[in-house]
Amino acid sequence: MIKEIILSGIRPTGRLHIGNYFGALKNFVNLQKDYQCFFFIADLHSLNESFDPKEKHQQIVNLAKDYLAAGLDPKKCTIFLQSDIPQHAELSVILGSVVPVAYLFRMTQFKEKSSDRALDKVNAGLLYYPILMAADILMYDAAKIPVGLDQTQHVELARDVARFFNNKYGQTFIEPKPLYTDNPKIMSLLEPAKKMSKSLGDNHCIYLDDEPEVIKKKISKAVTDTGDGKGLGAKNLLNLIAIFSEPKINQQFLTQAKNKELKYSELKEQLATDLINYLSDFRENKKKITNQQIKKVLADGQKKVEKIVTAKMATVKKRIGIA
Ligand code: AQP
């Protein structure tokens, strides 16, 4: 039986937080059993942010370790580094020719990430990001893309790109659909109206490899509100309890909230304990993964996808008359 193709990537820009995990990575791990899965490290996408080139390699290795520590198994899925496959960039140039630039200026992520600067201080890579993402996806005929809610618009753009290209040059690409987890948007601990994001600052996030003492401290500082369980801070903490704690404990806090007697100190203590337990396997797994192991996983992944992309690019080039 031919399995449906799934593809997704994460940018190596620092440590992964529970938003990245519950929005995306946890889903990757579940999906590898039933689908033909490709998970890549989106290093080219990570160049749009300011970064220190001396740190980039380590960020890549670190993210690959996160993939394995979370449970991705190279025997069940293909893990590779985006820049090892230059055809992603090549395809993105070709796809750029079928996308009106207005579609790119409309992207919420572009607007949010460029709103605090004049356009002459915004790099073109940020604008072009969704086209490279479309190339990543369309290259593999991926049908479903496991992402957090914030990436919905980019997956929709990949659908548009596929349609524009197919209409102009003949059926070549599948139109992909986003695939969400039950928790596609985890909110910041300090600004619960915003998604948890490392660019907001370390205290806004729980990182997957945070040590127990750090988790306790961050949860103790999480914003709360008046005890009726309806404010965003409370909603966020209750949502995290629903994810990390036993259903019985979850119910207990929901009842407290309903009766307007939510005790935040208890809630936070419980949440910190359950988070620490939940993440302990990940922390321990990650410590055991070696750089050598990662080198092999990425080299094997590169070898596997090279055949696929060579065939796809040959088709694309034929369609547009350059092969
Ligand atoms: N808060 C979130 N809740 C649910 N899903 C999330 N994702 C990110 N934040 C949340 C999902 O994680 C995957 C990897 O996304 P990325 O590589 O683009 O990372 P990011 O979204 O840029 O993560 P940050 O922390 O927000 O990075 P900065 O602050 O550097 O921009 C994607 O599937 C994304 O939807």
Side-chain angles (χ1 to χ4, degrees):
M1 196 183 75
I2 295 172
K3 290 181 177 176
E4 225 172 358
I5 297 171
I6 295 263
L7 172 135
S8 195
I10 299 183
R11 296 175 312 140
T13 48
R15 297 156 70 202
L16 288 193
H17 50 69
I18 55 174
N20 302 130
Y21 181 71
F22 281 97
L25 186 51
K26 185 169 186 277
N27 222 7
F28 298 0
V29 176
N30 293 334
L31 293 163
Q32 66 181 341
K33 292 184 234 114
D34 303 317
Y35 294 88
Q36 187 184 343
C37 290
F38 297 91
F39 298 118
F40 66 99
I41 294 178
D43 58 342
L44 296 177
H45 283 293
S46 76
L47 307 181
N48 302 326
E49 320 253 313
S50 59
F51 66 95
D52 180 350
K54 287 193 216 89
E55 286 174 6
K56 192 49 73 187
H57 176 71
Q58 199 44 50
Q59 287 178 329
I60 290 167
V61 172
N62 202 32
L63 179 55
K65 287 185 178 178
D66 288 336
Y67 278 9
L68 299 192
L72 284 188
D73 177 352
K75 290 195 198 85
K76 296 187 185 141
C77 66
T78 304
I79 300 171
F80 66 95
L81 180 64
Q82 187 185 30
S83 63
D84 278 342
I85 310 297
Q87 288 90 338
H88 284 228
E90 189 183 14
L91 181 57
S92 81
V93 172
I94 293 171
L95 296 179
S97 69
V98 299
V99 186
V101 77
Y103 278 61
L104 304 179
F105 280 110
R106 207 181 280 164
M107 293 291 113
T108 309
Q109 184 171 296
F110 174 76
K111 285 195 233 164
E112 278 174 4
K113 293 200 169 183
S114 61
S115 63
D116 61 342
R117 281 162 281 168
L119 275 187
D120 63 354
K121 297 268 185 300
V122 176
N123 69 62
L126 195 61
L127 185 67
Y128 209 81
Y129 177 110
I131 299 187
L132 179 56
M133 181 163 155
D136 301 332
I137 294 171
L138 302 182
M139 180 77 89
Y140 297 87
D141 294 327
K144 294 192 181 121
I145 314 300
V147 283
L149 217 49
D150 59 310
Q151 288 295 331
T152 304
Q153 213 185 11
H154 291 159
V155 179
E156 274 163 10
L157 187 90
R159 291 174 65 81
D160 291 336
V161 174
R163 211 174 40 257
F164 294 154
F165 190 97
N166 292 343
N167 288 343
K168 200 164 176 187
Y169 299 112
Q171 183 61 38
T172 309
F173 297 117
I174 287 180
E175 290 185 33
K177 288 199 179 111
L179 193 66
Y180 304 118
T181 62
D182 296 338
N183 297 287
K185 196 170 187 183
I186 303 284
M187 310 312 279
S188 149
L189 295 177
L190 298 183
E191 289 180 67
K194 297 183 179 164
K195 78 158 189 147
M196 184 175 282
S197 193
K198 63 187 159 320
S199 50
L200 288 176
D202 285 348
N203 287 331
H204 290 250
C205 309
I206 300 286
Y207 294 113
L208 298 186
D209 56 5
D210 266 343
E211 291 296 334
E213 282 314 308
V214 176
I215 294 179
K216 275 188 204 158
K217 215 174 190 172
K218 286 182 178 176
I219 295 293
S220 75
K221 285 186 186 156
V223 297
T224 56
D225 31 26
T226 50
D228 62 0
K230 287 192 180 135
L232 288 180
K235 221 172 137 194
N236 195 23
L237 295 181
L238 286 169
N239 185 35
L240 294 177
I241 279 278
I243 297 173
F244 292 103
S245 304
E246 297 285 331
K248 215 172 82 188
I249 290 173
N250 180 32
Q251 194 49 52
Q252 207 176 298
F253 285 111
L254 285 178
T255 308
Q256 278 189 14
K258 197 169 154 221
N259 298 335
K260 298 190 179 5
E261 50 194 29
L262 198 51
K263 296 181 193 76
Y264 286 117
S265 55
E266 263 179 40
L267 177 75
K268 287 180 165 185
E269 211 176 304
Q270 182 73 47
L271 178 58
T273 306
D274 293 337
L275 255 169
I276 290 165
N277 285 338
Y278 190 97
L279 296 176
S280 71
D281 282 352
F282 176 89
R283 266 196 315 274
E284 294 315 308
N285 289 345
K286 189 167 174 184
K287 284 178 193 158
K288 288 182 211 142
I289 301 164
T290 64
N291 291 1
Q292 203 49 35
Q293 220 175 319
I294 294 305
K295 212 170 156 185
K296 175 157 175 18
V297 167
L298 295 181
D300 290 349
Q302 179 182 4
K303 222 185 262 170
K304 276 202 229 166
V305 301
E306 265 167 356
K307 285 187 208 124
I308 300 168
V309 301
T310 304
K312 192 71 186 179
M313 286 309 293
T315 306
V316 170
K317 286 182 177 177
K318 213 163 152 195
R319 293 271 194 277
I320 58 174
I322 61 170

